[in-house]
Amino acid sequence: MGTQNTTLVAMAQSFDLHQAPGHLVRRAHQRTVALFMEEAAAFDVTPVQFAILNALLAQPGEDQITLAGRVALDAATLGAVVTRLQARNLVRRESDPGDRRRKLLWLTPEGETLAQQLTGPAQRVQERLMAPLPPHEQALLKQLLARLVFSGES
């Protein structure tokens, strides 16, 4: 009987996943990806690919390691995504003349056009994601998320 009571108490005190911040952030991310895939469906680009294209639009000629940090990817993942973008003629990768180990990245003309075309869909994703919240809550949510994301960085 004691084991059965312990099991009932444990069940009553189970972790409330639906109120856990980590779970809610993951669900918000899933929703954001789904919205992006809807808005950008005509362009056949993932959110990660867009992040890279957009970052290179802002900072052409950036090295792969610095870019990986800016878009919050590990270097291996970034390298694999850049290889796919190269295959589509959207990104150009060259060795740094001063350090052949460093790889520098630029958008091709096609990549630049695509990155610019995606800014509208990316903005609509943000608007649709935040639409249920009034403006003051939108600002607060962005502030709190930024604090969570950047508080662990050195």
Side-chain angles (χ1 to χ4, degrees), residues 31-70:
R31 184 160 184 263
T32 304
V33 169
L35 290 171
F36 183 89
M37 297 312 285
E38 283 178 27
E39 290 290 342
F43 300 100
D44 191 29
V45 172
T46 68
V48 169
Q49 290 171 335
F50 169 69
I52 292 168
L53 294 171
N54 189 61
L56 288 173
L57 187 62
Q59 193 68 40
E62 189 159 55
D63 70 274
Q64 262 186 222
I65 302 301
T66 303
L67 179 62
R70 283 201 320 124

Side-chain angles (χ1 to χ4, degrees), residues 10-23:
M11 287 174 58
Q13 296 175 352
S14 69
F15 185 74
D16 188 358
L17 186 64
H18 298 290
Q19 294 300 314
H23 177 72

